[in-house]
Amino acid sequence: KPQLVASNDRFCRFLEEYCPVVTETYYPTIWCWEGRVQTLLRPFITSRPQVQYRNELIKTADGGQISLDWFDNSDSLYYPDASTRPTVLLLPGLTGTSKESYILHMIHQSETLGYRCVVFNNRGIAGEDLLTPRTYCAANTEDLEAVIHHVHSLHPSAPFMAAGVSMGGMLLLNYLGKTGRDTPLMAAAIFSAGWNVFESIASLEKPLNWLLFNYYLTTCLQSSISRHRRMLEKLFDMDLVMKARTIREFDKQFTSVMFGYPTLDDYYEDASPCRKLKSVGIPVLCLNSVDDVFSPGHAIPVETAKQNANVALVLTSCGGHIGFLEGIWPRKCTYMDRVFKQFVQAMFEHGNKIFSM
């Protein structure tokens, strides 16, 4: 059974009644239960539901642009009125976009419930051009704040939630820690977030993890900026950036410099959501597996979570990073998908009962 960590008894009772999946035994797929195997196989095993997006480019205060992919769910039977149709903002991982299988599955789950979704693609990675020499990072929440304000302004009467995966979850937590209760979001769901960047990087630099994940992710980061080389060369030694062989080297030469941090440690300190968890002011459910090499179990801030009545952690012993595969042939729904579906439905349809239970 997952470990449910929450200091608020009413929040616990709410989850047990309306999101019972967090108390059910999670049975990982027996032939790929180990965390690294789950992490590696999920993108290849899980299906990719068909989703028709409507793209929107919005301008930012600094002259940049952000690509949003909307799933309007115009045929929603439960919420035919678009002005009040519940909306879920989805934040993919480090180099992820609206095309990731885990995002497509979240949209599929939302579609069955009648909700609208919008995917926040970070600058420069979803095919659009960079208009300024700036990309994104886990610590800087300006773009996310602009997107949340924009979506809310379009549908001010619609209930509004957000869900973030991996770095998207870190970004969302850092935003919530900064804004407290001053946000149009009514709740948030976080999946496989890296809580302490120092510990995450140390784990990913172990020899086998470097071979399986670190080097590949570094090349993905380099690939995501190489097509914008002409724009970025105005500020960076791109030859040096492209020589990076670890995420730490990439962040030292590129990310921390781009966002004005004096040192890499200053950036990693600011990017770690564990520092801001105590300030979160809306109900948040966070799912992690303790065998996730991207977010080691010992770095999950259990004691800090117990000090905030708005926070609930769900910790499984297996599942890896955005894995959570279950069943003999885990093509479709994962444990993570079921947690997402039950939690957003619980909040949209019964959220007002949290404080009365």
Side-chain angles (χ1 to χ4, degrees):
K1 280 194 172 186
Q3 179 187 358
L4 179 60
V5 179
S7 65
N8 187 335
D9 288 340
R10 287 180 294 186
F11 197 5
C12 268
R13 289 196 297 272
F14 175 84
L15 291 172
E16 288 167 359
E17 180 168 350
Y18 296 108
C19 188
V21 64
V22 302
T23 64
E24 297 170 3
T25 302
Y26 162 56
Y27 296 97
T29 298
I30 194 163
W31 52 269
C32 66
W33 57 269
E34 201 271 339
R36 282 173 291 214
V37 180
Q38 284 234 359
T39 304
L40 288 167
L41 290 184
R42 182 205 52 78
F44 302 102
I45 290 178
T46 52
S47 61
R48 305 179 68 83
Q50 289 294 313
V51 174
Q52 288 292 108
Y53 288 119
R54 171 178 62 85
N55 183 256
E56 179 187 19
L57 293 176
I58 65 171
K59 293 292 188 285
T60 60
D62 69 334
Q65 65 181 2
I66 302 169
S67 173
L68 301 179
D69 281 322
W70 290 82
F71 173 73
D72 295 301
N73 206 1
S74 302
D75 298 327
S76 172
L77 297 177
Y78 299 109
Y79 300 95
D81 183 354
S83 66
T84 56
R85 186 176 302 141
T87 303
V88 188
L89 175 65
L90 301 176
L91 287 71
L94 185 59
T95 57
T97 68
S98 58
K99 298 178 182 177
E100 304 303 321
S101 61
Y102 56 82
I103 293 292
L104 298 175
H105 276 275
M106 287 181 174
I107 291 174
H108 178 66
Q109 301 284 0
S110 301
E111 180 182 16
T112 63
L113 297 169
Y115 307 152
R116 169 174 47 224
C117 293
V118 54
V119 185
F120 167 35
N121 298 296
N122 285 301
R123 293 195 200 193
I125 60 167
E128 81 285 358
D129 293 328
L130 279 184
L131 302 184
T132 62
R134 167 177 165 165
T135 55
Y136 59 93
C137 75
N140 189 287
T141 62
E142 291 173 4
D143 284 358
L144 176 56
E145 290 169 33
V147 168
I148 288 174
H149 174 76
H150 173 74
V151 173
H152 180 62
S153 68
L154 293 177
H155 306 287
S157 300
F160 191 16
M161 280 184 64
V165 181
S166 191
M167 194 212 77
M170 296 166 66
L171 181 64
L172 182 53
L173 283 166
N174 285 330
Y175 160 80
L176 293 174
K178 178 181 176 181
T179 58
R181 294 181 181 176
D182 187 21
T183 172
L185 298 175
M186 62 180 294
I190 311 292
F191 301 100
S192 294
W195 289 96
N196 183 316
V197 180
F198 296 100
E199 297 294 340
S200 295
I201 291 295
S203 173
L204 287 168
E205 287 177 344
K206 293 178 180 178
L208 182 56
N209 294 340
W210 177 85
L211 188 66
L212 293 175
F213 305 110
N214 197 328
Y215 180 68
Y216 171 74
L217 268 178
T218 305
T219 60
C220 287
L221 285 166
Q222 291 167 329
S223 177
S224 72
I225 64 171
S226 62
R227 60 183 292 265
H228 309 295
R229 184 169 184 137
R230 185 171 296 179
M231 172 64 73
L232 295 170
E233 276 179 335
K234 298 175 183 178
L235 296 180
F236 300 96
D237 181 346
M238 292 299 289
D239 289 334
L240 192 58
V241 173
M242 300 307 282
K243 288 178 182 176
R245 291 296 173 263
T246 65
I247 296 172
R248 185 192 298 269
E249 291 175 4
F250 180 90
D251 286 338
K252 182 178 182 180
Q253 300 297 341
F254 186 77
T255 316
S256 61
V257 178
M258 171 173 284
F259 289 95
Y261 290 95
T263 68
L264 179 64
D265 283 359
D266 289 315
Y267 166 52
Y268 281 173
E269 184 80 13
D270 198 27
S272 299
C274 59
R275 296 177 61 249
K276 305 181 182 74
L277 190 61
K278 62 181 180 296
S279 303
V280 171
I282 62 172
V284 174
L285 182 68
C286 308
L287 174 66
N288 281 89
S289 172
V290 297
D291 69 353
D292 181 353
V293 299
F294 288 76
S295 185
H298 66 267
I300 298 172
V302 172
E303 294 307 314
T304 307
K306 290 178 180 177
Q307 297 168 26
N308 188 333
N310 293 304
V311 176
L313 304 181
V314 179
L315 308 178
T316 61
S317 56
C318 303
H321 187 69
I322 329 176
F324 302 103
L325 300 174
E326 56 187 356
I328 298 300
W329 184 239
R331 282 278 295 161
K332 295 183 179 179
C333 198
T334 67
Y335 179 77
M336 181 178 113
D337 297 330
R338 294 196 292 129
V339 172
F340 168 81
K341 182 178 183 179
Q342 287 191 17
F343 183 65
V344 295
Q345 184 175 24
M347 292 307 307
F348 279 145
E349 299 179 16
H350 307 287
N352 60 331
K353 298 178 183 177
I354 286 183
F355 303 107
S356 61
M357 295 185 77

